[in-house]
Structure formats: structure tokens, C-alpha cells
Amino acid sequence: MVTSFAIRGPRSLLRQIREAMAGDAPAQAKLNMVVRIIAGSMVAEVCSIYLRRAGGELELFATEGLSADAVHVTRLKSGEGLVGEIVRLGRPLNLSDAPNHPAFSYRPETGEDPYHSFLGVPLLRGGRAIGVLVVQNRTERSYGEEEVEDLQIIAMVLAEMVGAGELLGQEVLKDVEIAPHRPERLKGARFADGLAYGKVILHEQPVAPEKLLSDDPAAEEIRLRAAVEALQKQIDDMLEGHHGLVGAPYEVLETYRMFAHDRGWNHSLEEAVRNGLTAEAAVERVRSEHRARLGQARDPYLRERLHDLEDLNDRLLRHLSGDGHKARELPDDAILVARNLGPADLLEYDRTKLKGLLLEEGSPASHAAIVARALDIPCVGRLAGLRDKVNEGDPVIVDAESAEAFLRPRPDVVAALDNRLAVRAQRRAEFARLRDTPAFTKDGAKVTLLMNAGLAVDLDILGETGAEGIGLFRTEFQFMVAEDMPRLDAQRALYEKVLDVADGQPVTFRTLDLGGDKLLPYMELEREENPALGWRAIRMGLDRPALLRLQLRALIWAARGRPLRIMFPLVASVDEFRAARAFVDAELAWAQRRGRPAPSRLDVGAMIEAPALLWHLDALLPMTDFVSVGTNDLMQYLFAADRGNPRVADRYDPLSPPALRALQQIQVACAETGTPVSVCGEMAGRPLEAFALVALGFDRLSMPPAGIGPVKQMVLSVDREAAQRGVISLLKGASGSVRNEIETLARKLYVAV
Ligand code: PEP
Ligand code: MG
């Protein structure tokens, strides 16, 4: 039994290593010292470090016990020998009779003949093995579980020190694969248009090397326990439906619960902390191991489990840090990299410095993507394997035009990007020149272009865009970014500010559209099988009138003597609209009783998002002052395809006969009854789609701010009558998408799409 090590533990050993590293001896001498200290402490006759060269070969970098002549000479190809096997498997090998293992590869220059027992662990950074740490003994023995654990902890700290350049100089590391360093090009999906070049900021940050070791393991253990307990409770609550944190399906939560209560997982974390790691470093250590093991799994089920574990680790780190990213200092050209983001996450970063966003997962219709578009931050999503392929600070290009990410791009790629950025800047300048030009078609039809917004930060750009008002103000965003439920005063203050900034231009406030993927951490919601079809938006408002009435009160109060426009989301029946409108009347009467000034004019409208309304417009329209078509949801329900699910989200095209006919039907019914109608889904902000909408007769479009310039250019170049004739004739007899045909038509008519 290796008693001396078991008693002193890796904590004191790690301190010794640190001290050895502090001097200014040459790099090789330091590394030799490290292996000597580890061998001595573990009572091992051999201790060796292998690091991975750029081609994947593992080279012996330092040894205590093997022949010194073998250092930098012995190299094992990837997958070769026991060391290669450890990298391949991403986990330790503990053998009492190593030479008889089938993967053993004999290298005479090392002089390792007499050593039988062998314990090797991977040096893991993120999910990648950058080398291997080995101890060997003559006697045939099996190393104990604790020794394996201890060596893994040492390996983790060594890997971080090597990775951070603390152990070896840059010269020595030149050809060592401590981190991904080659240029790479990843194909994904466009979530928000634009181009950006900058430096990677990891949303889920690795633990800094100086924060790996704790001074007080007992206190650290208490901190870890508290965080694990909080996590377990959170997941139990979610399962029991007491918490609205996640709209995850039941099986996923069950898996979370299984992991969160898993003794092995907890034990590994506690062991790591007892041995001197900080709680954060312990999470990282266990996470790297899981990633290295499961990341290679081909089985989709296992990969899904890895995904669940990642999420659990992220949650645990959040419980440990308490705060999050608020205090983070960003470089001026930050490109945020994350697995996925909730709608509110993006808003925690300094928007003036955030130039782009890359996501490993996600969906273009998710609200995180909508927030990216609202903030005009280019975003590419669904980039497989992204997080393991970048390091904090890497240069990276977000190319949302081609839906790609270029990691560590070569200079020629950057130069080509510079040209494209210049072209974009020129186009932006053209749009800016058009800012005050009213949007009339060539044949004299006025098209009103409005902006979608949802937060105070959006208001800064209202003037720059040339929008004629706000066609959709998503009031739920204020709720999503708040720590707890915004009270009457906070709501009123925001609405007042919006009206002040709009300075007489119309603003359409949409009442709370919560539920679906928009959940509030502080609001308890029951778990639902199909949240998009569930208790959301106006359904919630009508069932919990206190919340809706409070919001209406805030709106009426904020307007005081000014015009006010209120719109209800996801109305699915005429009765719902009638009931919602009655609350407005009740609030108006309430304000009047208290002598508060009423709005100078009040318009109340419905969003058309539920297909059922299409066959009840004759009853609905006379009751409304206006309607607005929410094509994001309308398309989701029309095609029965979840807007947030990447597998089906892009399967159906809004530029196809069923969708365009539905839109046409709405437009015609509104024209016949004289009801003002707008389109405020994302499609209104894309020139080609907007061309089709204008052709169908829509003359009010509300969109993300970045869409206004390009759509205005389209409007100014279109002859509406010709477009109408063309688009309507294309619908006849078409069996599927008519996107290409509409594009050809637009080009034939010289329309800028
Ligand atoms: C829509 O559904 O088209 C819409 C504008 O609302 P949201 O995207 O907020 O659901
Ligand atoms: Mg909607």
C-alpha cells in the first residue's frame, strides 16, 4: 500500500509541485523535478509524462525511473501502446501486469522491462486528452481506488498548468497539442444575420488555474454540499411540477434526478474537494472525465446523457457561483460561445462589446435567437462539437451569411472578411441614407415599416432605424430578465419610457406572452406535455386576471393623455378576445374612478396566431380596432411544427401555397372590414418574404430593427401591382414551396430582395 501518499494526499503534493515550478530553472529541469516529486510521493519507481504532439503522437517528455535517453525519443502513435489506449479511451488504466496487456508496446530504449504494475491517467483539458501521466512499480500490484483518484487530480492540475503555459515555455510547447490550434470551419444554421470577427468568450467558463486549489478543504466541502443539495432540491421541485425553470420533458428530468442523486458522481466530487481542489475545480474534473468518456460514444442515447450531464454541471457551477456573468469584463470584440442560451442570458453581457454569438445547439425561432436579432448581433447556431474546438480568446469569425464559423482563421480568410465587412458597412450607409425616405412602392402605395422591441435597450436604436413606430413591444421580456416579478411601478416606468422615446409615434404593447419557451424562474408553473399548446399567453392572462389587470393598469397609467395601443397574444377564440377586452374596459373605469387621466385614444387589437381564427374573422374583426399577424406562431400551428425544434422548425416554408393563402385570406378580410392589419412575425423583416407580403396587399410590417433598411430598399424598388399579379399566379397549381419562383419573379421585376 502506498501509505505515504494516502496520508499526505495530493494537496501537499500539489503545493510542492507549485513551489518547484516557481523557480527559474529551465523548463525541462522543472518537468524532471515534477516527475521526481510525484514518484517520491506515490512511492512509485517510475513516473512519466507524455504529451501529445500536433500529429497526435504521444512523446515522452519527462521521466523518473525510465531511461533518461528515451526522453523526447520515445513516441507512440495515436492509439498505440498503453499510453495511446488511455488517450483513446479517455480514462485511466490500472494494471498489475502491464507487459501482458494486449495493447502493451515494448520500447527497448525506455528500459521498462522490470516494471509490472502500471497506472496511467489522461491529462484532460475540457473534454480533450492532451497527454498521459503514468506511475509504475516493479511488484505486481493493483493501485487502490484512492490512488487512482489522487493521480487524476494531479493530472488535472498538471493539464491546466501545461495548458496555461505555466509549466513549459511556449518554445517547448510549440508543437504540442495542448489545445485546439488549427484553423477550422464549421457549418451551422443562421440564427441572426451579419458578420463579425472577434475573440472567443466562453459562456461556460473553465476554472482559472489559480482557482484550482483550495486553502480550506473543509470549508470547500461544505460549500460543495450546499450547492449539490440546492441542485437536488431544484430538480426534485421541477419533477414535482413546483417550479417553472425548465420546460424539459419528464424523462430528461428523471435522468437529471438520477445523476444529481448518483452516489458515484457525488463521491467523485467530494473526493476531489477533500484532496484540495476547489468545488468549481472538482466539477470541472468530473466533467472532463465524463466528456472524454461519453464524447466518443456513437450511441445517440449515450450522447444525450452526456448532454444532460453537461447541463447538470452547468447548473451546479451556477449554484456555486451564485451570480453569473454580470461582472465579466469583455474585450471590445467579444464573440460569445455557448452550448445554448436562454432568452435572458444574452442580456447579461455588455451589448456594446458583444459582436457575435456562436451556439452549439438552439433553433432560429427560439427566443434567444429573437433577442440576438433584436440586438442586431450576428448569430450562427447548431455548430456540432463547437465548445470542445475553441479556447477562450481564440480569434473567430461569425459568418451568418453562409451560416458558418471560422475558428482561428488564416490571414487570407480574415482579409476576405474585411472586404465583405466593408461592403456591409457601405450597404448600412445606404440604408442610413434612406432613413428619412418614406417607404412608397414605385406605383405609389405607402408601406409602413415598424420595429419590434421588448426592452429599454432596444429604444436606443428606434431613431436610427427610421421605423415609424413600434409594431410589437414584447412586454414579457422585462419579466424574463427580472429577478422577481416586476411590480406595478416598474412596469409603468418602462411603458412610460417607451412612449417618451417613441415621441408620438405609435407603439403597440402586447400583453404578457409567457409560457411555451418563455418561462420565469420565479413563477411556479405546472409541467406540461406540450407547452406550446398549453397554458400560455392570453390563456394565462384570462385565468389569472390579477396579473393581466395589473399590467393593463400600468399601461393605462403610463399613457395618461397619450394614445395607447394594446394587443393580446395567442387569441384562439372570439370569446377570449371579448373577455380580454372587458378587462381593459374595467381598468379604464377603475382609472376614471380614481380620477386618473385616460389615454387620449385607445386601440385594442388581437394577434392572429391560432389558425382557428381564420374561420372566425367575420366575428372577430368587428370587435377589434386592429389585428397583427404573428407568423412565427401562426406557421408553427398551421404546419404542426414546433418553432423551437430544429428537426422540424425549417421543414415547411412560409412561402408556399397554404401559408400564403392563409395570409391572403386575413388580408382580404381586413380590407373588406376596414380593419388595420400588420404582420409582426420574423418573416416581415426578410426582404423576399416581405416582398411576398406586400404583393398580397399587406401595408404594415413590423420587424427586428436590422430588417428595416433592407425591407425599405425592397419596397422602394417594387411595383406592387405587378408583384401582386405575379405572386398570386404562382400560387395556382404549385405543389410545394414557391420560394425560388418568387425570387425569380422579384429579380425579373428588378426588386431588391
Ligand atoms: C409571432 O408569433 O409571430 C410573434 C410575433 O410573437 P412571438 O415571436 O413573440 O411569439
Ligand atoms: Mg407569438
Side-chain angles (χ1 to χ4, degrees):
M1 186 63 211
V2 187
T3 46
S4 66
F5 183 59
I7 290 166
R8 289 191 291 151
R11 208 164 112 70
S12 85
L13 173 57
L14 290 171
R15 296 253 174 258
Q16 287 181 56
I17 294 176
R18 289 234 137 190
E19 277 160 29
M21 289 301 100
D24 24 75
Q28 186 67 47
K30 286 186 180 178
L31 210 52
N32 294 347
M33 210 142 37
V34 169
V35 284
R36 196 168 317 134
I37 294 171
I38 299 173
S41 186
M42 287 203 72
V43 199
E45 281 125 359
V46 174
C47 175
S48 314
I49 291 177
Y50 296 81
L51 291 178
R52 207 157 116 153
R53 284 281 179 200
E57 277 189 335
L58 285 152
E59 178 176 312
L60 180 64
F61 256 71
T63 185
E64 170 72 11
L66 297 186
S67 162
D69 295 342
V71 172
H72 298 304
V73 172
T74 296
R75 288 186 176 190
L76 295 151
K77 291 207 181 53
S78 112
E80 188 187 352
L82 296 175
V83 171
E85 184 75 355
I86 292 167
V87 167
R88 193 176 68 77
L89 298 173
R91 61 179 162 81
L93 266 187
N94 181 1
L95 307 168
S96 55
D97 185 14
N100 273 327
H101 189 279
F104 183 78
S105 164
Y106 179 63
R107 291 303 169 91
E109 74 274 9
T110 59
E112 64 181 320
D113 311 48
Y115 305 108
H116 283 273
S117 45
F118 173 105
L119 170 59
V121 300
L123 296 172
L124 294 173
R125 262 201 113 208
R128 296 159 42 84
I130 63 165
V132 175
L133 175 64
V134 175
V135 290
Q136 291 173 273
N137 282 81
R138 276 171 210 272
T139 49
E140 283 195 25
R141 62 183 289 267
S142 186
Y143 297 88
E145 230 178 79
E146 278 193 6
E147 289 162 90
V148 179
E149 175 68 29
D150 291 347
L151 200 64
Q152 281 180 289
I153 288 173
I154 296 165
M156 176 196 180
V157 177
L158 277 182
E160 290 303 328
M161 286 165 85
V162 171
E166 287 188 17
L167 202 56
L168 301 165
Q170 287 309 318
E171 207 29 50
V172 186
L173 287 178
K174 215 166 53 192
D175 193 27
V176 175
E177 256 201 354
I178 51 169
H181 64 277
R182 272 181 288 236
E184 239 179 294
R185 180 178 183 167
L186 300 181
K187 182 85 188 154
R190 181 203 321 190
F191 286 7
D193 192 28
L195 291 174
Y197 177 51
K199 293 196 194 67
V200 167
I201 290 292
L202 296 171
H203 179 63
E204 298 97 2
Q205 277 223 302
V207 187
E210 67 276 9
K211 300 218 174 100
L212 289 170
L213 300 179
S214 77
D215 294 323
D216 184 353
E220 211 54 26
E221 199 174 332
I222 293 171
R223 212 162 71 81
L224 174 73
R225 280 234 178 100
V228 169
E229 272 163 26
L231 174 75
Q232 288 170 340
K233 181 168 179 324
Q234 183 189 28
I235 288 166
D236 291 347
D237 282 355
M238 286 196 290
L239 265 165
E240 277 144 36
H242 291 325
H243 217 294
L245 259 177
V246 159
Y250 197 75
E251 317 81 71
V252 173
L253 289 177
E254 265 298 353
T255 321
Y256 280 14
R257 165 133 80 181
M258 203 180 76
F259 284 130
H261 289 272
D262 179 67
R263 299 246 315 265
W265 190 57
N266 285 323
H267 178 75
S268 306
L269 290 170
E270 281 176 15
E271 258 314 291
V273 162
R274 263 181 234 139
N275 282 322
L277 292 188
T278 57
E280 286 84 356
V283 177
E284 273 305 323
R285 197 192 91 48
V286 177
R287 180 215 288 266
S288 298
E289 205 182 321
H290 285 138
R291 270 206 216 161
R293 278 195 220 168
L294 289 176
Q296 298 165 342
R298 295 236 173 82
D299 183 285
Y301 177 80
L302 281 181
R303 294 192 64 85
E304 270 301 305
R305 297 293 73 76
L306 173 63
H307 184 283
D308 299 341
L309 262 173
E310 289 276 355
D311 201 69
L312 211 56
N313 282 312
D314 289 344
R315 281 171 190 278
L316 188 52
L317 286 174
R318 247 175 274 146
H319 279 290
L320 282 168
S321 72
D323 195 9
H325 318 279
K326 293 196 175 103
R328 269 172 79 180
E329 215 14 72
L330 297 187
D332 285 342
D333 53 354
I335 307 284
L336 188 65
V337 169
R339 183 157 57 86
N340 207 347
L341 287 180
D345 289 336
L346 204 50
L347 299 161
E348 289 182 6
Y349 292 89
D350 179 350
R351 179 189 170 196
T352 60
K353 296 186 170 172
L354 205 55
K355 297 292 183 268
L357 173 62
L358 295 175
L359 300 176
E360 196 162 311
E361 302 171 356
S363 142
S366 68
H367 282 88
I370 288 181
V371 174
R373 283 194 290 274
L375 299 180
D376 202 10
I377 295 175
C379 172
V380 178
R382 290 196 220 142
L383 296 159
L386 171 69
R387 278 193 324 169
D388 285 340
K389 291 181 174 152
V390 290
N391 313 290
E392 177 99 4
D394 274 355
V396 63
I397 291 174
V398 181
D399 184 347
E401 285 178 1
S402 67
E404 284 174 303
F406 294 82
L407 317 179
R408 301 167 292 274
R410 283 192 306 269
D412 54 326
V413 178
V414 177
L417 177 86
D418 283 342
N419 285 335
R420 289 167 60 207
L421 281 170
V423 171
R424 273 200 165 242
Q426 210 176 355
R427 284 193 67 203
R428 274 192 185 235
E430 276 167 35
F431 298 147
R433 269 199 299 281
L434 291 179
R435 196 187 62 184
D436 301 320
T437 311
F440 280 98
T441 62
K442 287 208 300 201
D443 49 344
K446 171 80 197 313
V447 180
T448 304
L449 304 182
L450 304 151
M451 185 181 115
N452 292 348
L455 290 163
V457 290
D458 294 336
L459 303 174
D460 302 345
I461 40 176
L462 179 61
E464 284 167 36
T465 59
E468 292 180 61
I470 297 178
L472 167 66
F473 191 87
R474 292 180 163 103
T475 57
E476 64 278 4
F477 280 12
Q478 182 190 24
F479 284 63
M480 285 154 64
V481 300
E483 300 285 325
D484 40 29
M485 192 75 85
R487 293 176 189 281
L488 180 68
D489 278 348
Q491 294 184 42
R492 183 186 55 116
L494 174 65
Y495 306 151
E496 232 167 41
K497 184 166 173 204
V498 177
L499 291 169
D500 289 349
V501 174
D503 195 21
Q505 286 184 323
V507 178
T508 303
F509 290 98
R510 176 176 74 184
T511 62
L512 286 178
D513 185 1
L514 292 167
D517 70 335
K518 289 182 277 194
L519 298 166
L520 304 177
Y522 47 83
M523 193 167 162
E524 293 188 354
L525 289 182
E526 270 175 38
R527 183 181 59 84
E528 295 184 308
E529 281 298 329
N530 297 298
L533 303 178
W535 195 58
R536 51 168 294 205
I538 194 62
R539 301 168 182 182
M540 208 187 266
L542 293 175
D543 291 352
R544 281 210 190 162
L547 194 61
L548 178 59
R549 287 193 64 161
L550 193 74
Q551 181 174 34
L552 294 172
R553 192 166 297 178
L555 284 165
I556 290 168
W557 196 358
R560 268 178 309 176
R562 296 185 272 194
L564 177 63
R565 296 169 63 84
I566 297 175
M567 165 164 90
F568 297 111
L570 197 66
V571 174
S573 74
V574 175
D575 286 338
E576 280 175 347
F577 181 76
R578 194 199 320 267
R581 191 164 189 150
F583 283 126
V584 180
D585 294 336
E587 277 307 315
L588 270 182
W590 188 91
Q592 208 171 17
R593 283 200 300 278
R594 266 160 195 70
R596 286 194 187 154
S600 61
R601 172 194 168 124
L602 179 64
D603 292 280
V604 183
M607 284 195 80
I608 301 190
E609 301 183 288
L613 286 185
L614 262 70
W615 295 278
H616 216 176
L617 292 170
D618 57 334
L620 177 76
L621 297 182
M623 261 186 230
T624 61
D625 299 314
F626 67 93
V627 291
S628 188
V629 191
T631 46
N632 305 336
D633 276 318
L634 184 61
M635 295 304 144
Q636 142 165 289
Y637 299 125
L638 210 51
F639 290 110
D642 184 346
R643 62 192 266 190
N645 179 341
R647 289 218 179 114
V648 297
D650 306 329
R651 204 177 169 100
Y652 309 97
D653 192 348
L655 295 187
S656 60
L660 293 175
R661 285 200 181 122
L663 291 167
Q664 188 185 17
Q665 195 181 323
I666 297 168
Q667 197 283 329
V668 168
C670 289
E672 280 171 5
T673 50
T675 313
V677 56
S678 64
V679 177
C680 65
E682 302 294 299
M683 74 183 277
R686 292 193 284 264
L688 186 64
E689 277 86 340
F691 167 69
L693 292 170
V694 168
L696 292 180
F698 287 100
D699 59 6
R700 287 177 79 80
L701 303 177
S702 191
M703 64 199 79
I708 292 185
V711 169
K712 189 183 279 186
Q713 217 172 34
M714 182 281 291
V715 170
L716 293 172
S717 63
V718 75
D719 181 308
R720 182 176 180 144
E721 284 211 7
Q724 191 158 29
R725 275 196 307 275
V727 168
I728 289 177
S729 75
L730 280 177
L731 295 181
K732 283 193 206 103
S735 64
S737 169
V738 285
R739 178 170 295 272
N740 291 340
E741 290 78 355
I742 291 182
E743 188 162 2
T744 310
L745 171 71
R747 302 226 180 275
K748 215 171 78 192
L749 298 174
Y750 301 103
V751 180
V753 288

